[in-house]
Amino acid sequence: MIRHLKSPGLFAAIDRVPAPGTRAGERVFEVFNPSTGELLARLPDMGVDETRAAIDRAFAAQAGWAALTARERSDVLWRWHQLIVDHTDDLAAILTAEMGKPLAEAKSEVAHAAAYLQWYAEEANRIYGETISAPSTDRRMLVIKQPIGVVGTITPWNFPASMVARKISPALAAGCTIVLKPAEQTPLVAGAMFALAAEAGFPEGVVNLIYASEGDAIGRELCSNPKVRKISFTGSTEVGRLLMRQCSDQIKKVSLELGGNAPFIVFDDADIDAAVDGAIQAKFRNAGQTCVSANRLYVQSAVHDAFVEKFVEKVRHLPVGDGFDSDVAIGPLIDSHALAKIELHIADVVAKGGVVRCGGNRIGEKGTFFQPTVLTRISHDMTVAQEETFGPVAPIIRFEDADQVVHEANDTIYGLAAYFYASNLKRVWHVAEALEYGMVGINTGRMSSEAAPFGGIKQSGIGREGSRHGLEDYLEMKYLCMGGI
Ligand code: NAP
C-alpha cells in the first residue's frame, strides 16, 4: 500500500481503467517501489488483441470528438485539469511510490502535467486556417486545419505524469483520439490520470489506456494498424528509430522525443555561484534521469578549480533516500540496469585516468540508490561524455578555447538540450546561435515550460511538444480551392 494516500479510491480505480472486455485473461505484471522493492500492484498484462480493440474504440470515437466545437473539447480538458489539480497529493504519492523521485519533485511534476492540460484547453480555441490571395479573380483559396485522426502514444518512466499530459493534451485539443501505453515500470500514475479523465467526461473511446509489460508487441500493432494515423513516442533514440522504421510502410506520421547528451558549459565570464546552482539543477534533478540532464560539464580553465571546489562541496551534501522521506533531494534509480550502466561509465573514466572527486558507489543493499558523483580530468572521448549516463554522475571537462568547446559540444548525434553560463553579450549570442540543439538554457539550469516548444534536432527527435507549435503536430493542413466565382 502507498503511504500518504488521501483517497485510496483513486488508487483502486487504476485497475479498472481499461474498458471492460479488454483484459488479457489471467496474465498480469507487477509494479514495484524502487526504494523498497515492495510490490505495489498487479495489473492486467495486455497484448495485441487488447491494443487492436482499443484502436477500434478510438477509431469509432474519432469523428464524434472531432465534430465537437473547440469550446466543447476545451471544456472537457479544463475539467480534467481541475481534477488533476484537486488530486495532486495522491497523484504525487503514487508517482513517488512507483518511480522513486522525491515527493516535492513529484508534486511539481503533477503541477507541470496539469499546466499542459490547462495550456491546451486554451489552445483548443485557437486553431486557425488561412486565406490566400488567389492568382485569378474567379477563384478563392484557403487552408483549413483538421485533426490527424487516431494517435498511438508511448511514454517513458522518468516523467510518468507530465509525459502523458504533454503528449495527449495537444492531440485531444486538436480533435484526435488516442491510445496510450505507459512504461512498464510506471503505469500507475497514468492509470490514475485516466481514471480522472473518465470523471472529466471524455466521450467513450476518446482516451484509451493499455497496460503492458512488453512494449514491442504493442508498438508493432500501433505502427502497423492503418486506423492509427500517427505515432507519438517519448523514450530512447534506439526505440524511436525502430518505431520510425515500423511506420515507414504506411508513411505514418511520427513525433519523436528521444535521448540527449546535453553539454553544460561554464565560460570564464560566468557568475560561478549561479553556474554551480544551475549545474546542480540540470544534473541532479530526478537523480539525473531526465532527457535534458546536463550529461557533460565543460568548465573554462580560469574558473575550473573554483567551480569544481564549490560544486563538489554542494554535491557531497545532497541527501539521498526514499522519496517519501523529508528533505531527500535524490531518490533511487529506476532499476538495477540503470545502476550497472553508471558503474560502467565510472569504470571507463577511472581506467582512462579520470578522477572520482566525490561519490562513485552504490548506497546500501536495499533499493537502487547511488551516491551523487563528480568526476574530473575527463576527456571528450570517454564513454561518460559520449553516451547518455542517465544517473547522478557529473563529469567535468576542462577547456581553454571558446570555439573549440562549441565544436565539442556539437560533436554528438544528439541535439536535445544544451546549457551555458556567460555574461558577455556578444559571447551569449554567438554561442546560443552556434549550439546545434533544439533548446538552449542561458544562465539557467531549468527551462521546461508548457508555454515553450520542447524537442530536439538531429537524432534527438522530430516535432515539438508544448506551446502553440505543439498543436500543429496533431493537425493536417487542407487546401481548398473554389472556382467559378
Ligand atoms: P525506452 O526503453 O525507449 O522506453 C520508452 C517506452 O517505450 C516505454 O513505454 C517502453 O515500454 C516502450 N518500448 C520499449 N521498447 C519498445 C518497442 N520495441 N516498441 C515499442 N515500444 C517500446 O526508454 P526509457 O528507458 O523508458 O526512457 C529513457 C529514455 O527516454 C532516455 O533516452 C531519455 O532521454 C528519453 N526521454 C526523452 C524525452 C524527450 O522529451 N526527448 C523525455 C523523457 C525521456 P516498456 O516499459 O514496456 O519497455
Side-chain angles (χ1 to χ4, degrees), residues 280 284 311 313-321 327-330 372 392:
I280 298 275
F284 293 103
F311 186 60
E313 186 52 26
K314 289 212 168 173
V315 173
R316 269 188 215 289
H317 293 102
L318 289 173
V320 182
D327 298 331
V328 158
I330 299 187

Side-chain angles (χ1 to χ4, degrees), residues 447-479:
M447 54 181 156
S448 290
S449 161
E450 71 283 0
F454 190 103
I457 62 172
K458 294 159 82 177
Q459 295 187 32
S460 286
I462 297 174
R464 293 293 182 272
E465 290 180 337
S467 81
R468 67 188 170 86
H469 302 288
L471 197 57
E472 294 295 330
D473 278 18
Y474 295 94
L475 291 167
E476 292 281 18
M477 190 185 288
K478 187 184 282 177
Y479 159 51

Side-chain angles (χ1 to χ4, degrees), residues 155 157 166 181 184 215 233-236 257-258 291 388 454:
T155 50
W157 50 263
R166 194 169 85 181
K181 192 208 81 69
E184 175 191 3
F233 170 76
T234 297
S236 60
E257 295 285 351
L258 309 176
C291 52
E388 193 180 34
F454 190 103

Side-chain angles (χ1 to χ4, degrees), residues 240-260:
R241 268 190 213 110
L242 175 73
L243 294 175
M244 199 170 170
R245 258 184 244 127
Q246 290 175 353
C247 284
S248 66
D249 281 347
Q250 295 172 16
I251 321 289
K252 197 166 284 189
K253 291 189 185 314
V254 289
S255 279
L256 303 172
E257 295 285 351
L258 309 176

Side-chain angles (χ1 to χ4, degrees), residues 91-129:
L91 291 167
I94 294 168
L95 205 167
T96 291
E98 68 178 342
M99 195 271 157
K101 68 177 63 179
L103 195 56
E105 271 189 40
K107 284 186 185 171
S108 150
E109 182 181 336
V110 173
H112 198 44
Y116 276 102
L117 294 175
Q118 179 180 26
W119 181 269
Y120 283 108
E122 292 164 344
E123 284 297 302
N125 293 302
R126 298 182 196 127
I127 298 171
Y128 303 112

